Amino acid sequence: MMYYPLHEADISKFVDIMEEKIKCPEALMWNGKMKALTFSFDDGVTQDERLVQILDRYGLKATLNINSAFFGGQASLVRNGVTVRHDKLTQEDALRVYANHEVAAHTLTHPFLPKETDAQVRRQVEDDRKNHCALFDRDIVGLAYPCG
């Protein structure tokens, strides 16, 4: 999987693309739009707070795939020789930050699922989903499998 930086100018360009209308009314999607663009972001990191502010400014929605066992955790990742903080939002911050966006399960602890037993996979997915349902007080229907 490749990671690319997303800049605010890119989001503005996406908004311009989304606002384009087509000539054939029967082919229109919701709100008269002809194209759909989806955003999804993984892991529930503290950087999501700034990301969601930008999305909200442009009226865009995203799906945030988060691991319920890692709320408030601190970590870092190394990408292309650069160490990047990968700290997780607390439950309280996640409730605030993701209030207007979709939340999806991402497993409890982000395991590599092909190495897990069927029972472990079920527990990872279903317990994560149940935790999110309880925390966010809404149905959680999406799942982004980890390490994908």
Side-chain angles (χ1 to χ4, degrees):
M1 179 179 298
M2 297 296 296
Y3 293 89
Y4 298 96
L6 183 63
H7 303 284
E8 192 165 344
D10 298 325
I11 294 173
S12 180
K13 184 176 178 181
F14 287 138
V15 170
D16 291 342
I17 290 169
M18 292 295 292
E19 289 179 349
E20 179 183 351
K21 306 249 171 139
I22 62 171
K23 297 179 175 115
C24 179
E26 64 274 6
L28 292 176
M29 294 169 69
W30 59 96
N31 298 325
K33 306 291 189 230
M34 70 170 248
K35 298 177 182 175
L37 172 70
T38 63
F39 292 103
S40 65
F41 302 92
D42 291 355
D43 300 342
V45 293
T46 55
Q47 292 92 333
D48 286 355
E49 186 156 5
R50 175 74 177 120
L51 168 71
V52 168
Q53 288 172 358
I54 294 169
L55 293 171
D56 288 348
R57 181 178 316 130
Y58 288 96
L60 299 171
K61 299 293 182 187
T63 301
L64 292 302
N65 310 304
I66 54 182
N67 313 97
S68 61
F70 292 153
F71 284 117
Q74 296 184 343
S76 60
L77 297 174
V78 178
R79 292 286 187 251
N80 299 323
V82 176
T83 300
V84 178
R85 294 302 311 160
H86 201 66
D87 299 332
K88 307 302 193 269
L89 291 170
T90 64
Q91 288 183 343
E92 296 77 21
D93 288 338
L95 281 169
R96 178 180 48 80
V97 171
Y98 303 142
N100 297 316
H101 296 270
E102 180 184 27
V103 172
H106 196 44
T107 69
L108 288 168
T109 62
H110 210 281
F112 183 59
L113 294 177
K115 291 191 175 189
E116 303 290 311
T117 66
D118 288 352
Q120 290 169 325
V121 170
R122 278 191 294 279
R123 186 183 74 76
Q124 283 281 336
V125 171
E126 188 58 13
D127 287 359
D128 192 51
R129 187 191 70 77
K130 287 177 181 177
N131 290 346
H132 292 321
C133 288
L135 176 64
F136 292 97
D137 194 29
R138 53 181 147 155
D139 288 335
I140 302 298
V141 297
L143 166 73
Y145 61 89
C147 307

